Amino acid sequence: MQQKIYRVWGEDTFAHETFVVASYANKEAAEAKVMECRNSVLDQPEELRDTF
């Protein structure tokens, strides 16, 4: 049986590019990383803020 990989993706709103942030073996770790990434960009202007 294959192991699932949860990949966290982001989008650079300014450059209009997607990128891989990290890969995880479990959903909880991936969701925690998404929240960490979202919180890390809150000081940026909303129209230029990366999305995850």
Side-chain angles (χ1 to χ4, degrees):
M1 183 161 111
Q2 291 184 335
Q3 179 182 2
K4 284 188 179 184
I5 301 295
Y6 295 88
R7 196 163 282 133
V8 177
W9 288 83
E11 181 181 3
D12 183 323
T13 305
F14 182 75
H16 302 290
E17 297 176 347
T18 57
F19 56 92
V20 175
V21 175
S23 298
Y24 296 92
N26 64 63
K27 185 177 179 178
E28 293 78 19
E31 288 175 342
K33 184 62 174 180
V34 169
M35 293 308 298
E36 177 187 327
C37 290
R38 287 179 177 166
N39 290 333
S40 74
V41 297
L42 290 177
D43 61 339
Q44 298 175 355
E46 189 171 347
E47 61 274 0
L48 298 176
R49 194 178 296 163
D50 292 352
T51 58
F52 303 93

